[in-house]
Amino acid sequence: MTAMLARLLLSLFLLLAAFGGVRAQVSDPLPSWNDSASKANIVAFVDKVTRQGSADFVPPSERVAVFDNDGTLWAEQPMYFQAFFIFDRIKALAPKHPEWKTKEPFASVLLGDVKGALKGGEHALIEMVMATHAGMTTAEFEQIVSDWIATARHPKSGRRFTEMVYQPMLEMLAYLRANGFKTFIVSGGGIEFMRPWTERVYGVPPEQVIGSSIKTRFELRDGQPVLMRLPQMDFIDDKAGKPVGINSHIGRRPVAAFGNSDGDMQMLQWTTAGKGARLGVLVHHTDAEREYAYDRNSSIGRLDKALDMAGPQGWTVVDMKNDWKTIYPPPAAR
Amino acid sequence: MTAMLARLLLSLFLLLAAFGGVRAQVSDPLPSWNDSASKANIVAFVDKVTRQGSADFVPPSERVAVFDNDGTLWAEQPMYFQAFFIFDRIKALAPKHPEWKTKEPFASVLLGDVKGALKGGEHALIEMVMATHAGMTTAEFEQIVSDWIATARHPKSGRRFTEMVYQPMLEMLAYLRANGFKTFIVSGGGIEFMRPWTERVYGVPPEQVIGSSIKTRFELRDGQPVLMRLPQMDFIDDKAGKPVGINSHIGRRPVAAFGNSDGDMQMLQWTTAGKGARLGVLVHHTDAEREYAYDRNSSIGRLDKALDMAGPQGWTVVDMKNDWKTIYPPPAAR
């Protein structure tokens, strides 16, 4: 009796929820997006892959959407936010490294000379990454990142970095999840630099974060098992590395991909070359006033080849200036 | 009005569902398990980490359970099932490789001499892996595995390999998921050898499968993006590699780990060293009649050091012969 009654009530509830769902669709799930072509494209895509009976229907288990982070979910100017972390860490660690005062690229960092520090190119960058990201356990590094992200502020806006996420993209993540998508981050940034805060900020749990990594090693330290972070690159999750990282972590091809630079080009190619309806989106930084305007000539987040490819490939290009009502969420919200 | 009514009906439904839940707990979620100490341990653990108000309560997002595959979820005798795949593939590919007739380890395989083929040790094994697992796209390999697993049969039982999964462990996976756990496979076997069938057989989707891997490379082939499988090891997900693979893919420490051999020792150490309630389980192969009996002296699935560690570490040891009512599901079920 109870079971039958429960089933009856459930049926009634689902029926009403379905009507509620129709009503919810009337209210806008993407309120920070202007009624632009890009918004219409995205909404039409989500509708056709989720509507039962649609020729393009995709079962929930296959609804995988991937998002680049830097420049797609949060800002990346005047330099990648992880670079601010690296410089802050070098300053914090300097007392233990007196030799850094006369050793590049560290000497420049300690003098506040970012350009000087970056003069050494990739080699200098990797040296700084290893000096700040390796040599501790994974748990210790997680704590270091958590402490930094809670307090560090962007030099121009004065906001916390997690307050420089894009409100329209937070809505996009939530909108896709509400439509049965599993949302993943696929970033060139460090995987362990993102995981401590992506669940709180984006609603993306650590197991759905893919990024660049250094090697770790299992050890017993004072009898306790730890994972030590080693000063050795493991994987670079950028450009042609992104489809490789996606395959390694997810094991299926996404149906939707969001990026903003040439570093995301192969991820969008890989995603949209799949059978059936696919969505490729490029966020184009066109808003010099509210954010930053840059594309083909930027050293950070260069968007050139991928922009040329957008038309022929049928990718949606989001014009931040005209398509987004707001850029950042209210500061208190994050 | 409709919304209020819906909420009211939902409340009523949840209330009834809760009572139903109490009733469901009276009916056994692990019917293939005898009422043993190991079963009681596991059920007590699940109860205390999922019961609201329990001192050991673990929020759903952190309920991660990891399972070894070979010897834990399916059988692994007289050799790892992936080895049967390798030998079958060598036979299938032989017409394209006339040189194999006189070249070890291939020559032995073609003569049906498994021992001869394995004489060359790790070097010979890797050579056979690369000859059969690399040189095609990820999509092509997925098809090859899918075709093989649908038809190949175990030499002793005559069953399909996916019919040699353990019924009590299928119930364990479902039981943990019903209690809000995310279930992951963490296997020394090939990640792409498992992914084509784990969702159908175990209910574990590809993004929750971790395993050993070879490198892949993004390429355009006839203008189409593909991932080519390269004859180069990427990661060995065994022994001390298991915590590394878990950290890389999941980014948080599991609260429960199930294994059966020394290859799972570090995974259990890593899992059970975490704060709060943790569960470590070893499946001990004690049933020579219904399955196989082996532990300290087996070259496949050796269980020696981990068995010694079980007592001091408080791990639960499952005695297959006495704790399990049945071993395999009815053949038709898979």
Side-chain angles (χ1 to χ4, degrees):
Chain A
M1 262 306 275
T2 354
M4 263 190 62
L5 186 55
R7 220 171 295 140
L8 183 70
L9 289 172
L10 178 62
S11 306
L12 275 167
F13 167 72
L14 290 176
L15 195 72
L16 288 165
F19 278 105
V22 172
R23 282 216 324 216
Q25 280 183 18
V26 174
S27 87
D28 189 347
L30 299 170
S32 298
W33 291 69
N34 287 315
D35 287 326
S36 60
S38 63
K39 179 178 178 174
N41 278 352
I42 295 167
V43 171
F45 167 80
V46 171
D47 175 62
K48 72 182 168 187
V49 297
T50 57
R51 192 163 22 83
Q52 283 283 358
S54 156
D56 293 305
F57 181 77
V58 174
S61 66
E62 289 169 29
R63 289 181 204 159
V64 169
V66 288
F67 290 80
D68 170 57
N69 186 38
D70 299 305
T72 300
L73 294 179
W74 74 354
E76 60 180 350
Q77 298 289 357
M79 58 184 181
Y80 296 126
F81 293 172
Q82 195 169 358
F84 289 109
F85 171 75
I86 289 171
F87 295 152
D88 283 353
R89 288 305 298 159
I90 288 174
K91 288 170 199 159
L93 292 167
K96 286 185 189 165
H97 293 274
E99 76 280 10
W100 283 356
K101 277 182 193 156
T102 54
K103 190 187 168 198
E104 291 297 351
F106 304 99
S108 289
V109 174
L110 297 177
L111 292 170
D113 176 10
V114 169
K115 274 189 190 165
L118 296 174
K119 248 182 210 161
E122 194 181 343
H123 175 76
L125 184 65
I126 287 181
E127 206 177 356
M128 291 189 285
V129 167
M130 294 313 171
T132 53
H133 286 62
M136 72 290 281
T137 69
T138 50
E140 288 163 353
F141 187 71
E142 182 181 343
Q143 191 59 53
I144 290 167
V145 171
S146 298
D147 291 346
W148 182 82
I149 203 94
T151 54
R153 286 176 185 274
H154 188 270
K156 189 176 163 190
S157 72
R159 284 169 168 247
R160 289 201 180 83
F161 292 105
T162 49
E163 293 165 348
M164 295 187 69
V165 298
Y166 302 133
Q167 176 63 26
M169 295 305 285
L170 296 181
E171 293 167 8
M172 186 60 65
L173 286 163
Y175 168 59
L176 288 173
R177 286 194 293 262
N179 279 281
F181 280 82
K182 226 175 193 177
T183 53
F184 288 81
I185 291 171
V186 181
S187 168
I191 188 167
E192 302 297 14
F193 175 72
M194 297 181 283
R195 281 174 163 167
W197 51 270
T198 53
E199 187 155 28
R200 173 174 57 85
V201 174
Y202 298 136
V204 176
E207 62 268 27
Q208 285 161 226
V209 177
I210 306 168
S212 297
S213 56
I214 59 175
K215 287 192 187 291
T216 64
R217 185 174 57 211
F218 178 84
E219 287 180 10
L220 293 180
R221 208 170 63 168
D222 305 326
Q224 285 299 308
V226 296
L227 288 172
M228 288 302 299
R229 292 172 58 79
L230 309 180
Q232 200 184 339
M233 280 311 302
D234 177 47
F235 179 65
I236 297 185
D237 190 47
D238 198 27
K239 299 188 173 72
K242 289 203 173 193
V244 171
I246 288 169
N247 184 64
S248 163
H249 283 258
I250 309 179
R252 42 181 145 212
R253 200 191 290 237
V255 293
F258 295 76
N260 78 298
S261 77
D262 285 357
D264 304 313
M265 188 175 80
Q266 289 87 347
M267 176 170 82
L268 266 71
Q269 285 181 290
W270 175 242
T271 299
T272 59
K275 281 178 199 159
R278 304 279 161 158
L279 178 70
V281 177
L282 286 171
V283 173
H284 191 187
H285 291 262
T286 50
D287 194 330
E289 204 164 309
R290 296 184 302 172
E291 206 241 2
Y292 299 90
Y294 59 96
D295 47 31
R296 298 184 192 275
N297 299 313
S298 176
S299 63
I300 304 279
R302 183 195 307 269
L303 176 63
D304 183 27
K305 285 185 197 173
L307 193 55
D308 291 337
M309 209 177 263
Q313 294 276 354
W315 297 341
T316 297
V317 179
V318 172
D319 176 345
M320 281 176 75
K321 185 176 178 178
N322 292 305
D323 294 356
W324 287 1
K325 284 182 192 156
T326 56
I327 304 289
Y328 304 123
R334 297 283 128 196
Chain B
M1 262 308 274
T2 353
M4 263 190 59
L5 186 57
R7 221 171 296 139
L8 182 71
L9 288 172
L10 177 62
S11 308
L12 275 168
F13 168 70
L14 289 176
L15 195 73
L16 288 164
F19 278 105
V22 172
R23 282 217 322 217
Q25 280 183 19
V26 174
S27 89
D28 189 347
L30 300 169
S32 299
W33 291 69
N34 287 315
D35 288 325
S36 60
S38 63
K39 178 178 179 175
N41 278 352
I42 294 167
V43 170
F45 168 81
V46 171
D47 176 62
K48 71 182 170 188
V49 299
T50 57
R51 193 163 21 86
Q52 283 284 357
S54 157
D56 294 306
F57 182 78
V58 174
S61 65
E62 290 170 27
R63 289 182 204 157
V64 169
V66 288
F67 290 80
D68 169 58
N69 186 39
D70 298 305
T72 300
L73 294 180
W74 73 356
E76 59 181 352
Q77 297 289 358
M79 58 183 181
Y80 296 127
F81 293 173
Q82 195 170 358
F84 289 109
F85 171 75
I86 290 171
F87 295 151
D88 283 354
R89 288 304 299 158
I90 289 173
K91 288 170 199 159
L93 292 166
K96 285 183 189 166
H97 294 273
E99 76 279 10
W100 283 356
K101 277 182 193 155
T102 55
K103 192 186 168 200
E104 289 299 348
F106 305 99
S108 290
V109 174
L110 297 178
L111 292 171
D113 175 9
V114 170
K115 275 189 189 164
L118 295 174
K119 247 183 212 162
E122 195 180 344
H123 175 78
L125 186 63
I126 288 181
E127 206 178 358
M128 290 189 284
V129 167
M130 295 313 172
T132 53
H133 286 63
M136 70 292 280
T137 69
T138 50
E140 287 163 352
F141 187 70
E142 183 182 341
Q143 191 60 54
I144 289 167
V145 171
S146 298
D147 291 346
W148 181 82
I149 203 90
T151 54
R153 288 179 184 270
H154 188 271
K156 190 176 160 189
S157 73
R159 285 169 167 245
R160 289 199 180 85
F161 292 106
T162 50
E163 293 166 347
M164 295 187 70
V165 298
Y166 302 132
Q167 176 64 26
M169 295 305 286
L170 296 180
E171 293 167 9
M172 186 61 64
L173 286 162
Y175 169 59
L176 289 172
R177 286 194 293 263
N179 279 281
F181 280 81
K182 225 173 191 176
T183 52
F184 288 81
I185 291 171
V186 181
S187 169
I191 188 168
E192 304 296 16
F193 174 72
M194 297 181 282
R195 281 173 162 166
W197 50 269
T198 54
E199 188 155 29
R200 172 174 59 83
V201 174
Y202 298 136
V204 176
E207 62 269 28
Q208 287 163 221
V209 176
I210 306 169
S212 298
S213 55
I214 58 175
K215 287 191 186 293
T216 65
R217 185 174 56 212
F218 178 85
E219 287 180 12
L220 294 179
R221 207 170 64 170
D222 304 327
Q224 284 300 306
V226 295
L227 288 171
M228 288 301 297
R229 292 173 58 81
L230 309 180
Q232 200 183 339
M233 278 312 302
D234 178 45
F235 178 64
I236 297 185
D237 191 46
D238 197 26
K239 300 190 174 70
K242 289 204 171 189
V244 170
I246 288 170
N247 183 65
S248 163
H249 281 257
I250 309 179
R252 44 181 145 212
R253 199 191 290 237
V255 292
F258 294 75
N260 77 300
S261 78
D262 284 357
D264 304 312
M265 188 176 78
Q266 289 89 345
M267 176 170 84
L268 265 70
Q269 285 181 290
W270 175 243
T271 299
T272 59
K275 280 177 199 161
R278 305 278 161 159
L279 178 70
V281 177
L282 286 171
V283 174
H284 191 186
H285 293 262
T286 51
D287 194 330
E289 203 163 310
R290 295 184 302 172
E291 205 240 2
Y292 298 90
Y294 59 97
D295 47 32
R296 297 184 192 274
N297 299 313
S298 177
S299 63
I300 304 281
R302 183 194 308 270
L303 176 63
D304 183 25
K305 286 185 195 172
L307 193 55
D308 292 337
M309 210 177 263
Q313 296 275 356
W315 298 340
T316 297
V317 179
V318 173
D319 176 344
M320 282 177 74
K321 184 175 178 180
N322 293 304
D323 294 355
W324 288 1
K325 283 182 192 155
T326 57
I327 305 289
Y328 304 124
R334 300 281 126 194

